[in-house]
Amino acid sequence: MNSVLVNLPFIVVAILLAIGFYTIGFKRNLIKIIIGVEILEGAVNMFIVALGYVKGGYAPIYTQAPSGAIENMVLPTPQALTLTSIVIGVAVTALMLAFAVNIYKTYGTLDVSKVRRLRG
Amino acid sequence: MMEHLPALIIAIPLLGAFAAPLFKRHHKAVSIWAILITGITLIVSLLLTREVLVKGILVYVFGAKSPTLVLPSGYKVPIRIMFEVDALGAFMAISATLMSFVGALYSYSHVAHESGLEKYYSLLLLLEVGILGMVLTGDLFNLFVFMEIAGISGAALVGFRSYRGEASEAGIKYLIISAVASLMVLFSVALLYGEYGNLNLAYIAKNIKFGVVDLIAFGLLFTSFAMKCGAVPMHYWVPDAYTEIPAGGNPPLLVATYANLYALFRVSFTLFTNIVINISRAGWIMVILGVLTMFIGVTMALVQKDVKRLMSYHAISQTGYMLLGVGVGLTVLHDPSKLMEFGRDAIAGGLFHVINHIIYKSLLLMTAGALFYVTGTRNLDNMGGLARKMPITTISFMIGAAAISGLPPFNGFASKLIIYETSYMLNPILTVFAMVTSILTLASFVKVFASAFLGPPLKKYENVKEVPKPMLIAMIILAALCVIFGLFPKIILDKLIYPAADALINYLQYHSWGGLA
């Protein structure tokens, strides 16, 4: 039971990855596919944040840190990585949605099985 | 000045990209600005390559004087952002800057009638930044960031003609593939970070152990990069993206694809060879992937009627040659006698094919763009008799077609011959596949030549003229390079390709600067 609790974040990450891949692979609505990419991104971000947690460690903020915390601070790299990745994710989503709007305007549908003028 | 070249090569196009929107409503000015910036970057990359070839690996640290500087507490790991330029990175940087320059030159006339040009050139320069960052960085997370920059700007360029629904369709396909691939890269970066507590390529390569987590990370990285360099079975985005992007964006987009190929080679050689005793298995996977890619690509190309789409399927097929060449080298990497006998030449052949393919495929896609420029269609059935009207385009096309089919004395022959010879040493069947692919390639380009350029002149194209000068100059530069690389392959191989191949083979060199602990 304890091992499940300790690994809970990673189990959630695995479930989210599975949901994300399923949505990208099997859904037909373009907006849902975009949501699937977003879920994948959330899973990866959560994985990095979960990796950055060290039991008993303190957040690396020096102002008003409790005594003894300075010796025991975690490296803030995972959080920095996550922030960068979130920013990139917003750009990707915005561009994907812009394409989706454009596709709806010209094709009149968001069904990916009908949006298929490029083939062969 | 000279020691800051790795930073300048990123900073100059970045400045250019964000200054380009200032030239709104001055279409000529923004085109000239882009040509200027890409030209300067080309010079910087040439200087950088000379530095690297003379002095060996160049490690550039942002925010410190030397890479081995450690924290005051004595915690000995590299924590700063680092660029590490070896001969392979420099070689890719030359390809990227050259092709961005040619692309910007070509775009001067090709997209002159479109609106929103300042955004087009911004994206073009950002794409260049992304590629250069990918090939020069020495840090896994940076690799992800630059991969995303290249992916986003590339997808936006693909969808640039937003009044066409097809452009958006191709754009979203490319963007979804690139987003999923780079998220998986980030996931494996996180795995490696969790294990080694660092992101520096040299540090991880030095400390890497053989474990399940490493294997998972290697598998994810291999798959993601193979997906993004257009290997079968994830090749279907390539024809769409290459067809819909304005022809001036084709050269940088091609290099962006091969920047992912570079990353594939980098992780398989530098990062993981140290541990995977059975790296030959990964090499065989690469070889088989290469053969499949080249064969499936060319068979799908044979039935195409859209001229740019046909050429894009050939781009897939040619990627197979590179995978085959470098894969043959990877299979024998831990076998010194075979490595000296043919492995090193195989890697050199694969890398030589990268730059050759970038040159002649850009040339061919640009001639296709020129055909589209004058006829307004890409369908081969609606063209004909254009040879007399467009002599220079015709000659450029002939040179490009001869080069891609591997006819001497053009550059495609030089690299394909090396790949044939070396893959024969590993297994003769591989060579048979490679040669059959080459013959099929020739067949389909004869078809294009006959239906677009030969035949009786059509009435509707009576008044067409040769395309404007900037487009011609861009095509002539590349056609000349095709001939030069084909006539003097020895010089190019000795000066550029063999150092790059050695950079892959001597993977221990990559962290020879210390790598710290």
Side-chain angles (χ1 to χ4, degrees), chain B residues 140-197:
Chain B
L140 274 175
F141 187 70
N142 265 0
L143 185 69
F144 160 76
V145 172
F146 284 115
M147 188 178 169
E148 280 280 24
I149 293 176
I152 293 171
S153 47
L157 268 182
V158 170
F160 175 69
R161 291 193 169 121
S162 54
Y163 48 87
R164 284 171 57 85
E166 291 89 341
S168 296
E169 188 190 333
I172 201 166
K173 260 187 204 168
Y174 182 51
L175 190 56
I176 288 175
I177 287 288
S178 112
V180 172
S182 41
L183 281 175
M184 286 306 104
V185 168
L186 182 60
F187 190 76
S188 43
V189 169
L191 281 175
L192 290 173
Y193 179 80
E195 204 179 351
Y196 302 104

Short mmCIF file of all heavy atoms in Angstrom, two decimals, chain B residues 140-197:
data_model
loop_
_atom_site.label_atom_id
_atom_site.label_comp_id
_atom_site.label_asym_id
_atom_site.label_seq_id
_atom_site.Cartn_x
_atom_site.Cartn_y
_atom_site.Cartn_z
N LEU B 140 20.75 18.65 -23.06
CA LEU B 140 19.58 17.93 -23.54
C LEU B 140 18.31 18.77 -23.53
O LEU B 140 17.50 18.71 -24.43
CB LEU B 140 19.37 16.68 -22.69
CG LEU B 140 20.15 15.46 -23.12
CD1 LEU B 140 19.93 14.34 -22.14
CD2 LEU B 140 19.71 15.01 -24.49
N PHE B 141 18.14 19.59 -22.46
CA PHE B 141 16.92 20.37 -22.39
C PHE B 141 16.89 21.43 -23.48
O PHE B 141 15.85 21.70 -24.08
CB PHE B 141 16.75 21.00 -21.01
CG PHE B 141 15.41 21.67 -20.86
CD1 PHE B 141 14.26 20.92 -20.78
CD2 PHE B 141 15.30 23.04 -20.84
CE1 PHE B 141 13.03 21.52 -20.67
CE2 PHE B 141 14.07 23.65 -20.72
CZ PHE B 141 12.93 22.89 -20.64
N ASN B 142 18.06 22.04 -23.75
CA ASN B 142 18.14 23.00 -24.84
C ASN B 142 17.76 22.37 -26.16
O ASN B 142 17.14 23.00 -27.00
CB ASN B 142 19.56 23.53 -24.96
CG ASN B 142 19.72 24.81 -24.22
OD1 ASN B 142 18.77 25.28 -23.63
ND2 ASN B 142 20.89 25.36 -24.25
N LEU B 143 18.17 21.12 -26.32
CA LEU B 143 17.82 20.39 -27.54
C LEU B 143 16.31 20.38 -27.71
O LEU B 143 15.78 20.65 -28.79
CB LEU B 143 18.37 18.97 -27.45
CG LEU B 143 18.21 18.10 -28.68
CD1 LEU B 143 19.09 18.61 -29.78
CD2 LEU B 143 18.54 16.67 -28.38
N PHE B 144 15.59 20.10 -26.61
CA PHE B 144 14.13 20.10 -26.66
C PHE B 144 13.58 21.47 -27.02
O PHE B 144 12.72 21.61 -27.88
CB PHE B 144 13.56 19.62 -25.31
CG PHE B 144 12.14 20.02 -25.07
CD1 PHE B 144 11.12 19.36 -25.71
CD2 PHE B 144 11.83 21.07 -24.23
CE1 PHE B 144 9.80 19.74 -25.50
CE2 PHE B 144 10.53 21.46 -24.02
CZ PHE B 144 9.51 20.78 -24.66
N VAL B 145 14.13 22.52 -26.36
CA VAL B 145 13.60 23.87 -26.59
C VAL B 145 13.79 24.26 -28.06
O VAL B 145 12.85 24.73 -28.72
CB VAL B 145 14.28 24.88 -25.66
CG1 VAL B 145 13.89 26.30 -26.03
CG2 VAL B 145 13.92 24.61 -24.23
N PHE B 146 15.00 24.03 -28.59
CA PHE B 146 15.25 24.44 -29.97
C PHE B 146 14.46 23.57 -30.95
O PHE B 146 14.04 24.05 -32.01
CB PHE B 146 16.74 24.39 -30.27
CG PHE B 146 17.49 25.54 -29.68
CD1 PHE B 146 18.44 25.37 -28.70
CD2 PHE B 146 17.23 26.82 -30.12
CE1 PHE B 146 19.11 26.44 -28.17
CE2 PHE B 146 17.89 27.91 -29.60
CZ PHE B 146 18.84 27.71 -28.61
N MET B 147 14.25 22.32 -30.58
CA MET B 147 13.43 21.46 -31.42
C MET B 147 12.01 22.01 -31.52
O MET B 147 11.40 22.01 -32.59
CB MET B 147 13.42 20.06 -30.80
CG MET B 147 12.80 18.99 -31.62
SD MET B 147 12.96 17.45 -30.73
CE MET B 147 11.88 16.43 -31.69
N GLU B 148 11.51 22.51 -30.38
CA GLU B 148 10.17 23.09 -30.39
C GLU B 148 10.14 24.37 -31.20
O GLU B 148 9.18 24.63 -31.93
CB GLU B 148 9.69 23.36 -28.96
CG GLU B 148 9.17 22.13 -28.24
CD GLU B 148 7.75 21.77 -28.64
OE1 GLU B 148 7.32 22.15 -29.73
OE2 GLU B 148 7.09 21.10 -27.85
N ILE B 149 11.21 25.20 -31.06
CA ILE B 149 11.23 26.44 -31.85
C ILE B 149 11.18 26.11 -33.33
O ILE B 149 10.38 26.68 -34.09
CB ILE B 149 12.50 27.26 -31.53
CG1 ILE B 149 12.45 27.78 -30.09
CG2 ILE B 149 12.64 28.43 -32.49
CD1 ILE B 149 13.68 28.51 -29.67
N ALA B 150 12.01 25.13 -33.75
CA ALA B 150 12.02 24.75 -35.16
C ALA B 150 10.67 24.18 -35.56
O ALA B 150 10.15 24.47 -36.64
CB ALA B 150 13.14 23.75 -35.43
N GLY B 151 10.07 23.36 -34.67
CA GLY B 151 8.80 22.73 -35.00
C GLY B 151 7.68 23.75 -35.16
O GLY B 151 6.93 23.71 -36.14
N ILE B 152 7.59 24.70 -34.21
CA ILE B 152 6.50 25.68 -34.26
C ILE B 152 6.65 26.58 -35.48
O ILE B 152 5.70 26.78 -36.25
CB ILE B 152 6.46 26.52 -32.97
CG1 ILE B 152 6.08 25.65 -31.79
CG2 ILE B 152 5.48 27.66 -33.10
CD1 ILE B 152 6.22 26.34 -30.47
N SER B 153 7.88 27.11 -35.68
CA SER B 153 8.02 28.04 -36.81
C SER B 153 7.89 27.30 -38.13
O SER B 153 7.35 27.85 -39.09
CB SER B 153 9.34 28.80 -36.71
OG SER B 153 10.39 27.92 -36.44
N GLY B 154 8.36 26.05 -38.17
CA GLY B 154 8.20 25.27 -39.39
C GLY B 154 6.74 25.03 -39.71
O GLY B 154 6.30 25.21 -40.86
N ALA B 155 5.95 24.67 -38.69
CA ALA B 155 4.53 24.42 -38.92
C ALA B 155 3.82 25.69 -39.36
O ALA B 155 2.98 25.66 -40.26
CB ALA B 155 3.89 23.86 -37.66
N ALA B 156 4.19 26.82 -38.74
CA ALA B 156 3.54 28.08 -39.12
C ALA B 156 3.89 28.44 -40.56
O ALA B 156 3.06 28.97 -41.30
CB ALA B 156 3.98 29.20 -38.17
N LEU B 157 5.14 28.13 -41.00
CA LEU B 157 5.52 28.39 -42.38
C LEU B 157 4.74 27.49 -43.33
O LEU B 157 4.34 27.93 -44.41
CB LEU B 157 7.01 28.13 -42.57
CG LEU B 157 7.97 29.29 -42.40
CD1 LEU B 157 9.38 28.82 -42.67
CD2 LEU B 157 7.62 30.42 -43.33
N VAL B 158 4.55 26.23 -42.92
CA VAL B 158 3.79 25.31 -43.77
C VAL B 158 2.39 25.85 -43.99
O VAL B 158 1.85 25.81 -45.09
CB VAL B 158 3.75 23.91 -43.15
CG1 VAL B 158 2.77 23.02 -43.90
CG2 VAL B 158 5.11 23.27 -43.17
N GLY B 159 1.79 26.39 -42.93
CA GLY B 159 0.44 26.93 -43.06
C GLY B 159 0.41 28.39 -43.46
O GLY B 159 -0.60 29.06 -43.25
N PHE B 160 1.50 28.89 -44.04
CA PHE B 160 1.58 30.33 -44.31
C PHE B 160 0.49 30.80 -45.26
O PHE B 160 -0.10 31.85 -45.08
CB PHE B 160 2.96 30.69 -44.87
CG PHE B 160 3.09 32.12 -45.27
CD1 PHE B 160 3.09 33.11 -44.31
CD2 PHE B 160 3.15 32.49 -46.60
CE1 PHE B 160 3.18 34.43 -44.66
CE2 PHE B 160 3.24 33.81 -46.97
CZ PHE B 160 3.27 34.78 -46.00
N ARG B 161 0.21 30.02 -46.32
CA ARG B 161 -0.84 30.43 -47.26
C ARG B 161 -2.19 30.11 -46.63
O ARG B 161 -2.85 29.13 -46.99
CB ARG B 161 -0.67 29.70 -48.58
CG ARG B 161 0.58 30.15 -49.32
CD ARG B 161 0.58 29.66 -50.75
NE ARG B 161 1.64 30.31 -51.49
CZ ARG B 161 2.64 29.66 -52.09
NH1 ARG B 161 2.68 28.35 -52.04
NH2 ARG B 161 3.58 30.32 -52.74
N SER B 162 -2.60 30.95 -45.67
CA SER B 162 -3.73 30.58 -44.83
C SER B 162 -5.04 30.64 -45.59
O SER B 162 -6.05 30.18 -45.10
CB SER B 162 -3.79 31.50 -43.61
OG SER B 162 -3.80 32.83 -44.04
N TYR B 163 -5.04 31.22 -46.82
CA TYR B 163 -6.28 31.23 -47.59
C TYR B 163 -6.54 29.86 -48.22
O TYR B 163 -7.61 29.61 -48.75
CB TYR B 163 -6.23 32.30 -48.68
CG TYR B 163 -4.97 32.30 -49.50
CD1 TYR B 163 -4.84 31.51 -50.62
CD2 TYR B 163 -3.89 33.11 -49.14
CE1 TYR B 163 -3.69 31.49 -51.36
CE2 TYR B 163 -2.72 33.09 -49.88
CZ TYR B 163 -2.63 32.28 -51.00
OH TYR B 163 -1.48 32.25 -51.72
N ARG B 164 -5.54 28.97 -48.19
CA ARG B 164 -5.73 27.61 -48.68
C ARG B 164 -6.01 26.68 -47.51
O ARG B 164 -5.22 26.64 -46.57
CB ARG B 164 -4.48 27.12 -49.40
CG ARG B 164 -4.26 27.68 -50.79
CD ARG B 164 -2.88 27.30 -51.28
NE ARG B 164 -2.69 25.85 -51.28
CZ ARG B 164 -3.05 25.06 -52.26
NH1 ARG B 164 -3.60 25.56 -53.32
NH2 ARG B 164 -2.86 23.76 -52.20
N GLY B 165 -7.10 25.96 -47.55
CA GLY B 165 -7.40 25.02 -46.48
C GLY B 165 -6.35 23.93 -46.37
O GLY B 165 -6.00 23.48 -45.28
N GLU B 166 -5.79 23.52 -47.54
CA GLU B 166 -4.82 22.44 -47.55
C GLU B 166 -3.58 22.81 -46.74
O GLU B 166 -2.98 21.95 -46.10
CB GLU B 166 -4.40 22.10 -48.98
CG GLU B 166 -5.47 21.44 -49.82
CD GLU B 166 -6.32 22.47 -50.55
OE1 GLU B 166 -6.32 23.65 -50.13
OE2 GLU B 166 -6.99 22.10 -51.52
N ALA B 167 -3.22 24.10 -46.80
CA ALA B 167 -2.03 24.53 -46.07
C ALA B 167 -2.24 24.33 -44.57
O ALA B 167 -1.35 23.84 -43.86
CB ALA B 167 -1.72 25.99 -46.37
N SER B 168 -3.43 24.69 -44.07
CA SER B 168 -3.71 24.50 -42.64
C SER B 168 -3.73 23.03 -42.29
O SER B 168 -3.27 22.63 -41.22
CB SER B 168 -5.05 25.13 -42.27
OG SER B 168 -4.98 26.51 -42.47
N GLU B 169 -4.26 22.21 -43.22
CA GLU B 169 -4.31 20.77 -42.96
C GLU B 169 -2.90 20.21 -42.81
O GLU B 169 -2.60 19.48 -41.85
CB GLU B 169 -5.04 20.09 -44.12
CG GLU B 169 -5.34 18.64 -43.88
CD GLU B 169 -5.84 17.97 -45.15
OE1 GLU B 169 -6.43 18.63 -46.01
OE2 GLU B 169 -5.64 16.75 -45.27
N ALA B 170 -2.01 20.58 -43.75
CA ALA B 170 -0.64 20.11 -43.67
C ALA B 170 0.04 20.66 -42.42
O ALA B 170 0.79 19.94 -41.74
CB ALA B 170 0.13 20.53 -44.91
N GLY B 171 -0.24 21.93 -42.11
CA GLY B 171 0.38 22.56 -40.95
C GLY B 171 0.02 21.86 -39.66
O GLY B 171 0.89 21.59 -38.83
N ILE B 172 -1.26 21.52 -39.49
CA ILE B 172 -1.65 20.91 -38.21
C ILE B 172 -1.10 19.50 -38.11
O ILE B 172 -0.71 19.04 -37.04
CB ILE B 172 -3.17 20.98 -37.99
CG1 ILE B 172 -3.45 20.82 -36.50
CG2 ILE B 172 -3.91 19.94 -38.77
CD1 ILE B 172 -4.84 21.19 -36.08
N LYS B 173 -0.99 18.80 -39.24
CA LYS B 173 -0.38 17.46 -39.22
C LYS B 173 1.06 17.55 -38.72
O LYS B 173 1.48 16.82 -37.83
CB LYS B 173 -0.38 16.88 -40.63
CG LYS B 173 -1.48 15.90 -40.89
CD LYS B 173 -1.27 15.27 -42.25
CE LYS B 173 -2.57 14.76 -42.81
NZ LYS B 173 -2.47 14.39 -44.20
N TYR B 174 1.80 18.47 -39.33
CA TYR B 174 3.20 18.64 -38.97
C TYR B 174 3.33 19.03 -37.50
O TYR B 174 4.18 18.53 -36.77
CB TYR B 174 3.84 19.70 -39.87
CG TYR B 174 5.30 19.93 -39.63
CD1 TYR B 174 6.18 18.87 -39.61
CD2 TYR B 174 5.80 21.21 -39.44
CE1 TYR B 174 7.53 19.06 -39.40
CE2 TYR B 174 7.15 21.41 -39.23
CZ TYR B 174 8.00 20.34 -39.22
OH TYR B 174 9.33 20.55 -39.01
N LEU B 175 2.43 19.94 -37.06
CA LEU B 175 2.54 20.45 -35.69
C LEU B 175 2.22 19.35 -34.67
O LEU B 175 2.89 19.23 -33.65
CB LEU B 175 1.60 21.64 -35.51
CG LEU B 175 1.79 22.40 -34.22
CD1 LEU B 175 3.21 22.85 -34.09
CD2 LEU B 175 0.88 23.60 -34.18
N ILE B 176 1.21 18.52 -34.95
CA ILE B 176 0.87 17.47 -33.99
C ILE B 176 2.01 16.45 -33.90
O ILE B 176 2.43 16.07 -32.81
CB ILE B 176 -0.46 16.78 -34.39
CG1 ILE B 176 -1.61 17.75 -34.12
CG2 ILE B 176 -0.68 15.51 -33.58
CD1 ILE B 176 -2.94 17.24 -34.58
N ILE B 177 2.55 16.05 -35.07
CA ILE B 177 3.69 15.12 -35.06
C ILE B 177 4.84 15.72 -34.26
O ILE B 177 5.43 15.08 -33.40
CB ILE B 177 4.16 14.85 -36.51
CG1 ILE B 177 3.17 13.96 -37.22
CG2 ILE B 177 5.53 14.21 -36.51
CD1 ILE B 177 3.18 12.56 -36.76
N SER B 178 5.12 16.99 -34.53
CA SER B 178 6.30 17.57 -33.90
C SER B 178 6.05 17.79 -32.41
O SER B 178 6.96 17.61 -31.60
CB SER B 178 6.69 18.84 -34.64
OG SER B 178 6.49 19.96 -33.88
N ALA B 179 4.80 18.11 -32.02
CA ALA B 179 4.51 18.31 -30.60
C ALA B 179 4.63 16.99 -29.84
O ALA B 179 5.26 16.92 -28.78
CB ALA B 179 3.12 18.90 -30.41
N VAL B 180 4.07 15.92 -30.41
CA VAL B 180 4.13 14.62 -29.72
C VAL B 180 5.59 14.16 -29.64
O VAL B 180 6.05 13.71 -28.58
CB VAL B 180 3.26 13.58 -30.46
CG1 VAL B 180 3.48 12.21 -29.87
CG2 VAL B 180 1.81 13.96 -30.36
N ALA B 181 6.33 14.30 -30.76
CA ALA B 181 7.72 13.86 -30.75
C ALA B 181 8.52 14.63 -29.71
O ALA B 181 9.27 14.04 -28.92
CB ALA B 181 8.34 14.04 -32.13
N SER B 182 8.33 15.95 -29.64
CA SER B 182 9.18 16.68 -28.71
C SER B 182 8.73 16.47 -27.26
O SER B 182 9.56 16.53 -26.36
CB SER B 182 9.26 18.15 -29.08
OG SER B 182 8.04 18.63 -29.48
N LEU B 183 7.44 16.17 -27.04
CA LEU B 183 7.03 15.85 -25.67
C LEU B 183 7.67 14.54 -25.22
O LEU B 183 8.08 14.40 -24.06
CB LEU B 183 5.51 15.76 -25.57
CG LEU B 183 4.81 17.11 -25.48
CD1 LEU B 183 3.32 16.94 -25.51
CD2 LEU B 183 5.22 17.84 -24.22
N MET B 184 7.77 13.58 -26.16
CA MET B 184 8.43 12.32 -25.78
C MET B 184 9.92 12.54 -25.53
O MET B 184 10.52 11.91 -24.67
CB MET B 184 8.21 11.28 -26.87
CG MET B 184 6.81 10.72 -26.89
SD MET B 184 6.29 10.07 -25.30
CE MET B 184 5.20 11.32 -24.70
N VAL B 185 10.52 13.45 -26.31
CA VAL B 185 11.92 13.81 -26.04
C VAL B 185 12.04 14.38 -24.63
O VAL B 185 12.92 13.99 -23.86
CB VAL B 185 12.44 14.81 -27.09
CG1 VAL B 185 13.77 15.39 -26.66
CG2 VAL B 185 12.58 14.14 -28.43
N LEU B 186 11.10 15.28 -24.29
CA LEU B 186 11.15 15.88 -22.96
C LEU B 186 10.99 14.82 -21.88
O LEU B 186 11.65 14.85 -20.84
CB LEU B 186 10.06 16.95 -22.84
CG LEU B 186 10.01 17.71 -21.52
CD1 LEU B 186 11.31 18.44 -21.29
CD2 LEU B 186 8.88 18.69 -21.49
N PHE B 187 10.11 13.85 -22.14
CA PHE B 187 9.88 12.78 -21.17
C PHE B 187 11.18 12.00 -20.93
O PHE B 187 11.55 11.72 -19.79
CB PHE B 187 8.78 11.85 -21.69
CG PHE B 187 8.30 10.85 -20.68
CD1 PHE B 187 7.46 11.24 -19.67
CD2 PHE B 187 8.69 9.53 -20.76
CE1 PHE B 187 7.00 10.32 -18.74
CE2 PHE B 187 8.25 8.61 -19.84
CZ PHE B 187 7.40 9.01 -18.82
N SER B 188 11.89 11.68 -22.02
CA SER B 188 13.11 10.91 -21.82
C SER B 188 14.22 11.78 -21.22
O SER B 188 15.06 11.27 -20.47
CB SER B 188 13.57 10.26 -23.11
OG SER B 188 13.45 11.15 -24.16
N VAL B 189 14.20 13.08 -21.52
CA VAL B 189 15.14 13.98 -20.86
C VAL B 189 14.89 13.96 -19.36
O VAL B 189 15.83 13.90 -18.55
CB VAL B 189 15.01 15.41 -21.42
CG1 VAL B 189 15.78 16.39 -20.56
CG2 VAL B 189 15.51 15.47 -22.84
N ALA B 190 13.58 13.97 -18.98
CA ALA B 190 13.25 13.92 -17.56
C ALA B 190 13.71 12.61 -16.93
O ALA B 190 14.22 12.59 -15.80
CB ALA B 190 11.74 14.09 -17.37
N LEU B 191 13.58 11.50 -17.67
CA LEU B 191 14.06 10.21 -17.15
C LEU B 191 15.55 10.28 -16.86
O LEU B 191 16.02 9.88 -15.79
CB LEU B 191 13.80 9.10 -18.17
CG LEU B 191 12.40 8.52 -18.27
CD1 LEU B 191 12.33 7.54 -19.41
CD2 LEU B 191 12.01 7.85 -16.97
N LEU B 192 16.30 10.82 -17.84
CA LEU B 192 17.76 10.90 -17.65
C LEU B 192 18.10 11.86 -16.53
O LEU B 192 19.03 11.62 -15.75
CB LEU B 192 18.43 11.33 -18.96
CG LEU B 192 18.40 10.29 -20.07
CD1 LEU B 192 18.93 10.87 -21.37
CD2 LEU B 192 19.21 9.07 -19.69
N TYR B 193 17.34 12.96 -16.43
CA TYR B 193 17.60 13.91 -15.35
C TYR B 193 17.35 13.27 -14.00
O TYR B 193 18.13 13.45 -13.06
CB TYR B 193 16.73 15.16 -15.51
CG TYR B 193 16.95 16.16 -14.42
CD1 TYR B 193 18.04 17.01 -14.45
CD2 TYR B 193 16.10 16.24 -13.32
CE1 TYR B 193 18.29 17.91 -13.44
CE2 TYR B 193 16.33 17.13 -12.30
CZ TYR B 193 17.42 17.96 -12.36
OH TYR B 193 17.67 18.84 -11.35
N GLY B 194 16.26 12.51 -13.91
CA GLY B 194 15.96 11.86 -12.65
C GLY B 194 17.05 10.89 -12.25
O GLY B 194 17.32 10.69 -11.07
N GLU B 195 17.71 10.27 -13.23
CA GLU B 195 18.72 9.28 -12.91
C GLU B 195 20.07 9.93 -12.59
O GLU B 195 20.76 9.51 -11.67
CB GLU B 195 18.86 8.30 -14.07
CG GLU B 195 19.42 6.97 -13.62
CD GLU B 195 19.54 6.00 -14.77
OE1 GLU B 195 19.04 6.32 -15.85
OE2 GLU B 195 20.15 4.96 -14.57
N TYR B 196 20.45 10.94 -13.38
CA TYR B 196 21.80 11.48 -13.23
C TYR B 196 21.84 12.88 -12.63
O TYR B 196 22.91 13.40 -12.36
CB TYR B 196 22.51 11.49 -14.59
CG TYR B 196 22.59 10.11 -15.18
CD1 TYR B 196 21.76 9.74 -16.22
CD2 TYR B 196 23.45 9.18 -14.65
CE1 TYR B 196 21.79 8.46 -16.73
CE2 TYR B 196 23.50 7.89 -15.15
CZ TYR B 196 22.67 7.54 -16.19
OH TYR B 196 22.70 6.28 -16.68
N GLY B 197 20.66 13.52 -12.46
CA GLY B 197 20.64 14.84 -11.84
C GLY B 197 21.31 15.91 -12.66
O GLY B 197 21.77 16.91 -12.11
#
